[in-house]
Amino acid sequence: QKQCEGGGILSFTYIGGDCSQSTTQSGSCEDFDTHISEIIEIACFTDDSNLSFFGEVSVGDLITVPESGTLSGVLTCDIFSSGKKKQTVYLDGDLYLKDIYGGLQIENCNDDDNDNNCLIPVEYAYTIKNIGESLMDVTSLERTIFIRRIINNITQEGEATSNLIELVKNNSLEVGENTIV
């Protein structure tokens, strides 16, 4: 695992869950209530009590704390659900990519000397071709991604399906015609 050092930005994925899934010895996590809804609010403060991030997020969303020297100080993030504080995460000491602090997992730390990033943009292109003998109307296009992650030596698997039909610009394809999404 790469260590985050110096000043710069810090990005997390909100993975949900309670403090028991934390994978780090540095920092700490405190649960006030383990029942957390799908959509939550997060407020993060630097060690000098300045607000670094505030927003509404869902499981899987990326949270970026802007450049403020947070990699060399303490960052406190409070997680709220339905207006009540559910969890507080204290990040201090050595921070490493993919470390988990309660409901937050470090994905990126851009420090003074280098860019440590676990997130890589991926672009997909789908070609839809009419190989039939008459006009084809594209009425549905779905993509299913199978997800597998390991947290504290426990494997979690699932899938996420997205409807991509709104990306199809040409829904009617003549024989032999294709469209790229």
Side-chain angles (χ1 to χ4, degrees):
Q1 285 181 320
K2 287 191 157 192
Q3 184 174 2
C4 301
E5 301 177 274
I9 65 167
L10 199 54
S11 296
F12 306 93
T13 296
Y14 176 65
I15 60 173
D18 59 28
C19 293
S20 67
Q21 68 185 1
S22 297
T23 61
T24 180
Q25 300 301 315
S26 63
S28 62
C29 181
E30 182 178 1
D31 285 320
F32 299 101
D33 182 357
T34 57
H35 178 70
I36 300 175
S37 63
E38 285 291 314
I39 299 174
I40 53 97
E41 290 181 332
I42 296 181
C44 295
F45 301 89
T46 58
D47 51 359
D48 55 2
S49 298
N50 287 327
L51 182 65
S52 292
F53 176 87
F54 179 80
E56 187 176 271
V57 297
S58 299
V59 172
D61 286 351
L62 187 68
I63 301 155
T64 299
V65 178
E67 188 163 345
S68 60
T70 55
L71 299 182
S72 57
V74 175
L75 182 69
T76 303
C77 293
D78 292 323
I79 297 173
F80 298 89
S81 178
S82 303
K84 296 179 182 177
K85 188 189 291 189
K86 301 293 183 168
Q87 188 177 91
T88 297
V89 176
Y90 304 95
L91 294 97
D92 60 359
D94 295 334
L95 304 179
Y96 293 90
L97 292 176
K98 302 309 270 183
D99 272 355
I100 296 173
Y101 296 83
L104 303 175
Q105 181 174 27
I106 297 178
E107 301 290 359
N108 179 32
C109 53
N110 182 343
D111 56 36
D112 297 332
D113 298 322
N114 58 6
D115 189 16
N116 295 316
N117 195 346
C118 292
L119 301 176
I120 299 170
V122 176
E123 292 185 25
Y124 295 93
Y126 301 95
T127 301
I128 302 169
K129 184 173 183 176
N130 182 354
I131 59 171
E133 296 179 2
S134 62
L135 179 70
M136 177 178 81
D137 288 327
V138 180
T139 59
S140 178
L141 178 62
E142 292 183 342
R143 173 187 64 210
T144 300
I145 298 174
F146 298 95
I147 302 166
R148 183 174 188 251
R149 67 181 182 178
I150 300 172
I151 299 174
N152 284 341
N153 294 323
I154 298 172
T155 301
Q156 297 176 339
E157 295 180 341
E159 61 183 54
T161 300
S162 303
N163 185 349
L164 305 178
I165 192 65
E166 72 275 356
L167 301 176
V168 179
K169 291 184 173 71
N170 182 9
N171 288 52
S172 294
L173 298 176
E174 296 290 337
V175 174
E177 187 180 18
N178 67 28
T179 187
I180 298 174
V181 177

